[in-house]
Amino acid sequence: REGAMIGIRRISTDSSLYPQAVALREAALLRPLELDIAAFKQHFPGLEERMEHFVAVLDHPLGPRVVGCAGLVVEPDQNGGAERGRVMQMAVDAQRQGEGIGRRLLAAVEARAIGELGVSSLYCHAQRGAIGFYERLGWQIDSDEFEEAGIPHRVMTITGSPKPGPGEASGPEEFVPQ
């Protein structure tokens, strides 16, 4: 397949790729809950603008096509500790699943959050069917099962090594799950 022709990019809401990312989120995540992006923005005021948006983009002859997306929100730890990040609204086009796109998206989010921004950990609310995906990538289950939007979820977390000091190697390849 064409996995080698897919790149991961961080975009803003002003990007020409943003409407495609929203369409994918609506199709995969929101419409099954009878919601759309307007309802998401109403339910989470200001979150869309604070979220860092990541997209997996297929280099297609008719123009770039978004085939995956994920969001990162950095927030203070509820226990007063260092900032942590939340991965949200992650989806891969149903026709492209199983090609490693989700793994690459998550690696980019981890590299940005832990490697560049220096957050202490990442967490997400993983649907029951996605728990194995996160576990294979080093994430840990961090809650009992709970219902969110009528769907069973569990909190998943990953903690990274501290940001390297001056003169030490840095970059995504230096991310070490703990």
Side-chain angles (χ1 to χ4, degrees):
R1 304 230 349 201
E2 304 172 48
M5 296 171 34
I6 294 174
I8 307 298
R9 301 182 195 171
R10 187 163 43 106
I11 64 167
S12 71
T13 56
D14 296 332
S15 169
S16 61
L17 297 172
Y18 177 73
Q20 289 185 54
V22 167
L24 176 58
R25 287 168 56 195
E26 286 182 329
L29 303 169
L30 299 173
R31 270 193 223 116
L33 302 174
E34 299 181 4
L35 300 172
D36 61 11
I37 194 67
F40 178 85
K41 288 180 177 182
Q42 185 177 0
H43 190 69
F44 299 103
L47 185 64
E48 190 71 12
E49 295 72 26
R50 284 187 20 234
M51 186 184 304
E52 290 192 24
H53 300 271
F54 293 78
V55 291
V57 181
L58 173 65
D59 184 19
H60 193 275
L62 298 177
R65 182 171 159 237
V66 172
V67 294
C69 60
L72 168 66
V73 178
V74 176
E75 56 193 33
D77 185 89
Q78 293 176 346
N79 299 321
E83 288 184 322
R84 63 185 187 153
R86 179 174 181 183
V87 179
M88 300 182 69
Q89 296 287 290
M90 186 163 161
V92 173
D93 184 305
Q95 295 179 348
R96 307 299 303 210
Q97 291 180 2
E99 296 180 22
I101 295 168
R103 177 187 50 76
R104 291 179 60 207
L105 270 168
L106 195 57
V109 172
E110 290 172 356
R112 171 71 176 149
I114 295 173
E116 293 177 25
L117 300 177
V119 300
S120 61
S121 64
L122 287 170
Y123 78 99
C124 71
H125 292 181
Q127 293 183 16
R128 183 186 290 160
I131 291 170
F133 164 79
Y134 287 100
E135 286 181 317
R136 285 188 298 278
L137 298 175
W139 289 57
Q140 305 288 321
I141 294 173
D142 202 20
S143 77
D144 292 331
E145 193 169 273
F146 62 94
E147 244 182 60
E148 187 172 77
I151 301 168
H153 286 74
R154 292 183 96 168
V155 173
M156 303 291 295
T157 60
I158 193 165
T159 303
S161 60
K163 198 171 184 178
E168 295 179 21
S170 66
E173 65 281 356
E174 295 298 320
F175 173 75
V176 181
Q178 295 178 344

